């Protein structure tokens, strides 16, 4: 696409849908999804994607995942309802997380997959099963494992104390419940080596608690690198592994472990990609509203914020492109791009040097995960989101929110 065509396209999107505006690049998303799935399935045929809804629950994205055969991974009743509304069968919804709501009972009754996070939550789930003895239920456990990660995670049931053993016994001594699977998720551990370690520990756990017949599934959570742009890769200061690297180091040993079992007894292997699938495939168009200099420091104010762009925009400079659409162009040096929120720390890009004008369009890349879903109604409502196909077609995915959308749940004094 020529520079002029990019400018024309941005101009027409902003004119039609307002600024800022998210763009979801659906065909590239699908291509990445397929190559991720292909690499992992090649190493273990019973591998399945369980898409992490919390990362970006835009219905269009979740519908694409469903059409590609993915499962839904949800962590609240709200997300469970989203998945049901989109037509996911309970058997293809994994209900995780530390605060499951009352709909957990409906999900378990319908044969859904559930991974329990604590002994207290297990007690609640088991009392429901006991109160409904004419039905059978399946329960999985989230294991809190130590792979040498830098923090003590609060998620899952501790496998280094008697808690995990207790949980297994509680499930197995409840007549109408079976222990169906094991789950873990380790944050801040994206290296291939850490995946190999998590796999090894989970296999040891599976052998211990399922010595004769494998569990129905083992779910390794998420945290693989996706295909990332050089600007993003440089932040991590390491060689970014490919999906094939993960498959070789962590998924192939899983196959080796269960190869001797007939296929129907081999467990399903889930991972729960979120940012891995999303990040690169959403960008955000925004507009420069003011450029000012204060005591030698240059600021460019944009009509977006760190809330639209996500925490990642404060961790490092996102991939950025300026589309010259305003004038007069100024030559800036070490300018900070700042958001609309009235917060001093709302700096969305640091040390920009180059030309810029009020009215220019600033395009941020890599904003697919934990962005639109985490935007609070602070100062401004949320902007629109559109889908762009590789043939250039643009269609609306989410309309711009209005002030009425924000205020409608508050109660007003009667006049
Ligand atoms: C249980 C669980 N699964 C999946 C994810 C998604 O992880 P990622 O965004 O690294 O793909 C998370 C993120 O926190 C999680 O807690």
């Amino acid at each position: 696409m020529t520079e002029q065509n990019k400018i024309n396209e941005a101009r027409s999107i902003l004119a039609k849908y307002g600024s800022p505006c998210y763009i979801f690049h659906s065909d590239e998303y699908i291509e990445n999804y397929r190559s991720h799935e292909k690499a992992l399935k090649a190493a273990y045929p019973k591998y399945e994607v369980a898409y992490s809804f919390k990362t970006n629950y835009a219905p269009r994205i979740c519908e694409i995942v469903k059409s590609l055969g993915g499962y839904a991974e949800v962590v609240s009743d709200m997300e469970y309802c989203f998945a049901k509304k989109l037509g996911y069968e309970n058997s293809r919804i994994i209900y995780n997380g530390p605060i499951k709501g009352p709909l957990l009972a409906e999900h378990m009754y319908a044969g859904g997959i559930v991974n329990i996070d604590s002994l207290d939550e297990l007690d609640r789930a088991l009392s429901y099963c006991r109160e409904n003895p004419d039905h059978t239920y399946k329960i999985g456990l989230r294991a809190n494992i130590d792979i040498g990660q830098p923090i003590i995670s609060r998620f899952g049931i501790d496998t280094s104390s008697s808690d995990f053993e207790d949980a297994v016994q509680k499930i197995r001594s409840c007549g109408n419940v079976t222990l169906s699977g094991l789950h873990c998720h380790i944050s801040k551990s994206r290296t291939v080596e850490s995946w190999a370690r998590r796999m090894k520990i989970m296999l040891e756990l599976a052998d211990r608690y399922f010595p004769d017949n494998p569990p129905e599934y083992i779910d390794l959570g998420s945290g693989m690198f996706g295909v990332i742009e050089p600007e993003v890769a440089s932040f991590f200061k390491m060689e970014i592994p490919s999906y094939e690297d993960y498959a070789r180091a962590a998924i192939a040993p899983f196959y080796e472990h269960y190869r001797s079992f007939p296929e129907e007894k081999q467990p399903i292997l889930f991972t729960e990609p979120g940012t891995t699938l999303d990040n690169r495939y959403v960008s955000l168009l925004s507009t420069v509203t003011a450029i000012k200099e204060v005591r030698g420091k240059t600021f460019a104010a944009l009509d977006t914020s760190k809330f639209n762009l996500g925490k990642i925009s404060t961790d490092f400079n996102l991939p950025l492109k300026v589309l010259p659409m305003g004038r007069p162009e100024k030559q800036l040096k070490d300018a900070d791009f700042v958001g609309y929120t009235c917060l001093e720390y709302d700096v969305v890009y640091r040390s920009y040097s180059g030309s810029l004008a009020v009215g220019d369009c600033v395009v941020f890349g890599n904003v697919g995960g934990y962005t639109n879903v985490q935007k609070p109604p602070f100062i401004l409502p949320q902007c629109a989101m559109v889908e762009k196909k590789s043939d250039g077609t643009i269609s609306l995915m989410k309309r711009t929110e209005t002030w009425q959308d924000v205020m409608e749940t508050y109660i007003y004094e009667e006049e």
Side-chain angles (χ1 to χ4, degrees), residues 12 37 102 187 202 209 220 243 267 289 333 392:
S12 106
E37 186 188 48
S187 59
M202 289 302 280
Y209 293 108
L220 295 179
Y243 298 139
T289 61
K333 196 165 176 310

Side-chain angles (χ1 to χ4, degrees), residues 51-58 61-62 278 282 367-373 385:
Y51 173 61
S52 161
F53 265 42
K54 69 176 134 349
T55 311
N56 198 328
Y57 49 65
I61 298 180
C62 301
D278 289 332
V282 180
V367 296
Y370 308 104
T371 50
N372 49 304
V373 292
M385 181 181 250

Side-chain angles (χ1 to χ4, degrees), residues 217-232:
Y217 65 88
I218 294 183
D219 182 341
L220 295 179
S222 186
M224 288 184 193
F225 283 106
V227 178
I228 60 184
E229 284 135 310
E231 295 97 315
V232 182

Side-chain angles (χ1 to χ4, degrees), residues 199-220:
M199 169 66 76
K200 187 167 170 288
I201 292 173
M202 289 302 280
L203 286 176
E204 283 163 10
L205 212 57
D207 287 349
R208 181 153 162 213
Y209 293 108
F210 297 85
D212 306 319
N213 282 315
E216 259 180 53
Y217 65 88
I218 294 183
D219 182 341
L220 295 179

Side-chain angles (χ1 to χ4, degrees), residues 312-345:
I312 192 171
S313 67
T314 60
D315 291 344
F316 57 87
N317 278 346
L318 291 168
L320 176 115
K321 178 148 189 62
V322 174
L323 297 174
M325 285 162 47
R327 67 171 70 93
E329 293 283 333
K330 293 180 182 165
Q331 285 308 311
L332 308 190
K333 196 165 176 310
D334 277 340
D336 279 354
F337 288 3
V338 291
Y340 64 69
T341 59
C342 310
L343 299 170
E344 289 288 7
Y345 58 84

Side-chain angles (χ1 to χ4, degrees), residues 320-396:
L320 176 115
K321 178 148 189 62
V322 174
L323 297 174
M325 285 162 47
R327 67 171 70 93
E329 293 283 333
K330 293 180 182 165
Q331 285 308 311
L332 308 190
K333 196 165 176 310
D334 277 340
D336 279 354
F337 288 3
V338 291
Y340 64 69
T341 59
C342 310
L343 299 170
E344 289 288 7
Y345 58 84
D346 186 9
V347 180
V348 293
Y349 194 89
R350 292 144 293 272
S351 268
Y352 172 82
S353 294
S355 61
L356 198 75
V358 170
D360 278 356
C361 174
V362 177
V363 188
F364 292 90
N366 209 69
V367 296
Y370 308 104
T371 50
N372 49 304
V373 292
Q374 282 201 338
K375 159 81 177 67
F378 178 58
I379 301 185
L380 276 175
Q382 180 60 301
C383 62
M385 181 181 250
V386 298
E387 173 180 1
K388 182 184 170 192
K389 296 214 164 118
S390 47
D391 65 4
T393 324
I394 306 282
S395 51
L396 187 63

Side-chain angles (χ1 to χ4, degrees), residues 50-52 54-55 73 75 96-97 142 155 183-187 190 219 221-224 271-277 279 369-370:
Y51 173 61
S52 161
K54 69 176 134 349
T55 311
E73 189 259 338
V75 290
N96 285 337
R142 175 161 177 172
F155 299 108
H183 172 237
C184 73
H185 170 79
I186 320 280
S187 59
R190 293 188 190 272
D219 182 341
S222 186
M224 288 184 193
T271 68
E272 300 168 346
T275 54
T276 317
L277 294 179
N279 263 17
Y370 308 104

